[in-house]
């Protein structure tokens, strides 16, 4: 199967790198010609644009920074969509928007999938990240072979749009974890606790989380470099709040989180690293939340392994 990949940024460059590294016939496109040239030097083909990519490839993946960017790309690709073509949206986006675009693809005889990832850029780089996939079962089985190249744990979430809903939820939880880790670290420093010991106490306790075991490390290093920026956090938690608003759930923590990141953006800029949010508390207390022995960025130290489908607990998948 010939695969096209549009969007070679922080996440897209790593996911498409896994495809290329594992022998997938790959064509790439990005507005940054240097990123494209890097892939071509490693054996990928370059597309003139989205339309040519959809025309020449069996499946086209988009991994872009906003719903508007995906919509603009789809406008170019849509005339080339027909039976047998697959569009895969790996961006974190709005359920309604991915359904709107996907329905246009399906109306022309193609198939559409929303398949965002979760687990951090360091795992995207090694093919060990998790992938959600929203689509009909037949399409899922067609794309599973190269989903298991890009990721390790693959979850079929249900119909188109379901993966985007779940992805936004997981980013909301990760952001809540980040903010509570920041408050915990600053409070422990203020209480006179050693931060290296504090990190280990959280890690071995009921208070630990994926976010603590990754992001707390780059916070304590001082780099705060987690390859995810405040504007993206605001977008994602805003999408989660929109789901709650549509479904009539009166959230209390979510609006506060949005307010905190709006303040962080006003202070440090939209492109500040998301973990820089701890600076608000450092500035308020005059404390330095750093400690020796932590890495400046996260690197996945697990070996690359073949991916597999995750079957939800209590659900028995029919054979074949």
């Amino acid at each position: 199967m010939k695969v096209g990949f549009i969007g070679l940024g922080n996440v897209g460059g790593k996911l498409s790198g896994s495809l290329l590294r594992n022998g997938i016939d790959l064509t790439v496109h990005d507005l940054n010609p240097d990123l494209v040239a890097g892939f071509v030097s490693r054996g990928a083909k370059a597309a003139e644009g989205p339309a040519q990519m959809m025309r020449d490839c069996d499946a086209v993946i988009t991994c872009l920074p906003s719903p508007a960017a995906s919509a603009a790309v789809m406008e170019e690709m849509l005339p080339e969509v027909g039976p047998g073509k697959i569009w895969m949206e790996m961006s974190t986006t709005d359920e309604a928007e991915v359904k709107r675009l996907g329905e246009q693809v399906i109306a022309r005889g193609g198939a559409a999938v929303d398949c965002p990832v979760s687990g951090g850029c360091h795992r995207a780089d090694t093919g060990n990240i998790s992938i959600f996939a929203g689509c009909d079962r037949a399409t899922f089985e067609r794309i599973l072979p190269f989903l298991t190249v890009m990721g390790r744990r693959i979850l079929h979430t249900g119909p188109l749009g379901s993966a985007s809903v779940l992805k936004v939820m997981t980013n909301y939880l990760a952001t809540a974890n980040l903010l509570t880790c920041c408050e915990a670290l600053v409070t422990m420093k203020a209480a006179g606790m050693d931060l290296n010991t504090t990190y280990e106490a959280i890690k071995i306790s009921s208070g630990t989380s994926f976010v603590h075991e990754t992001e707390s490390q780059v916070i304590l290093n001082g780099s705060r470099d987690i390859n995810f920026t405040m504007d993206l956090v605001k977008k994602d938690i805003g999408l989660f709040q929109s789901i709650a608003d549509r479904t009539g759930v009166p959230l209390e923590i979510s609006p506060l989180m949005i307010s905190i990141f709006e303040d962080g953006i006003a202070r440090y800029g939209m492109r500040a690293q998301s973990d820089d949010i701890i600076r608000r508390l450092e500035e308020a207390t005059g404390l330095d939340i750093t400690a020796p022995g932590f890495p400046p960025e996260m690197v996945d130290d697990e070996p690359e392994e073949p991916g597999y489908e995750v079957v939800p607990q209590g659900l028995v998948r029919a054979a074949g």
Side-chain angles (χ1 to χ4, degrees), residues 174 178-179 182 211 214-220 223-230 233 261 268 272-280 282 298:
L178 170 61
L179 293 174
C182 289
V211 170
T214 54
E215 299 194 41
S216 289
Q217 294 200 57
V218 296
I219 286 173
L220 291 168
S223 76
R224 283 76 198 267
D225 183 6
I226 202 63
N227 271 309
F228 204 71
T229 52
M230 289 193 188
V233 172
F261 270 91
Y268 314 122
Q273 291 290 312
S274 59
D275 288 1
D276 256 351
I277 202 70
I278 198 171
R279 286 170 58 191
R280 295 172 70 256
E282 287 181 311
M298 295 311 303

Side-chain angles (χ1 to χ4, degrees), residues 40-146:
V40 170
S41 71
R42 291 153 54 194
K45 295 185 284 291
E48 293 177 1
Q52 184 210 342
M53 183 174 282
M54 181 59 79
R55 184 165 58 249
D56 294 346
C57 296
D58 301 299
V60 175
I61 298 167
T62 49
C63 190
L64 298 164
S66 69
S70 291
V73 166
M74 179 53 68
E75 185 176 347
E76 294 186 49
M77 292 195 299
L78 198 59
E80 304 298 333
V81 172
K85 299 290 186 179
I86 305 173
W87 170 54
M88 299 169 58
E89 172 65 288
M90 299 197 82
S91 318
T92 299
T93 191
D94 177 61
E95 171 201 13
E97 179 64 0
V98 79
K99 282 183 174 179
R100 183 184 73 83
L101 296 177
E103 285 166 2
Q104 296 179 53
V105 171
I106 293 167
R108 298 181 68 91
V113 188
D114 58 325
C115 44
V117 299
S118 185
C121 282
H122 61 302
R123 288 189 174 175
D125 202 24
T126 58
N128 287 329
I129 203 162
S130 297
I131 303 177
F132 300 160
C135 58
D136 63 85
R137 185 67 195 178
T139 299
F140 177 78
E141 291 177 356
R142 282 182 66 195
I143 64 175
L144 185 59
F146 58 91

Side-chain angles (χ1 to χ4, degrees), residues 96-311:
E97 179 64 0
V98 79
K99 282 183 174 179
R100 183 184 73 83
L101 296 177
E103 285 166 2
Q104 296 179 53
V105 171
I106 293 167
R108 298 181 68 91
V113 188
D114 58 325
C115 44
V117 299
S118 185
C121 282
H122 61 302
R123 288 189 174 175
D125 202 24
T126 58
N128 287 329
I129 203 162
S130 297
I131 303 177
F132 300 160
C135 58
D136 63 85
R137 185 67 195 178
T139 299
F140 177 78
E141 291 177 356
R142 282 182 66 195
I143 64 175
L144 185 59
F146 58 91
L147 288 181
T148 57
V149 169
M150 287 188 288
R152 183 186 293 186
R153 298 171 184 87
I154 317 300
L155 178 65
H156 182 212
T157 57
L160 180 68
S162 59
S164 294
V165 173
L166 290 169
K167 166 62 176 176
V168 167
M169 178 269 296
T170 65
N171 279 20
Y172 168 76
L173 290 172
T175 304
N177 277 202
L178 170 61
L179 293 174
T180 56
C181 283
C182 289
E183 292 192 349
L185 291 171
V186 175
T187 302
M188 289 303 95
K189 177 74 171 185
M193 296 294 104
D194 173 76
L195 288 178
N196 294 74
T197 304
T198 297
Y199 174 84
E200 294 300 333
I202 298 172
K203 184 177 178 181
I204 66 172
S205 75
S206 60
T208 197
S209 66
F210 175 83
V211 170
H212 170 66
E213 293 180 21
T214 54
E215 299 194 41
S216 289
Q217 294 200 57
V218 296
I219 286 173
L220 291 168
N221 172 273
S223 76
R224 283 76 198 267
D225 183 6
I226 202 63
N227 271 309
F228 204 71
T229 52
M230 289 193 188
D231 59 331
L232 296 177
V233 172
K234 182 185 174 185
K235 179 198 76 171
D236 292 351
I237 60 179
L239 288 171
F240 180 79
Q241 180 65 50
S242 296
I243 294 171
D245 291 343
R246 288 200 304 269
T247 53
V249 181
L251 300 182
E252 297 173 307
I253 297 172
S254 174
L256 179 58
M257 289 166 52
I258 292 170
S259 175
I260 289 170
F261 270 91
E262 287 175 342
D263 182 62
I265 289 169
R267 294 180 188 221
Y268 314 122
M270 295 181 66
R271 303 303 293 170
Q273 291 290 312
S274 59
D275 288 1
D276 256 351
I277 202 70
I278 198 171
R279 286 170 58 191
R280 295 172 70 256
L281 290 173
E282 287 181 311
E283 291 168 359
T285 61
L287 297 173
D288 173 34
I289 309 302
T290 58
F294 292 96
E297 61 181 355
M298 295 311 303
V299 176
D300 186 12
D301 58 5
E302 297 182 17
E304 183 173 6
E305 295 183 3
Y308 57 89
E309 181 183 359
V310 174
V311 178

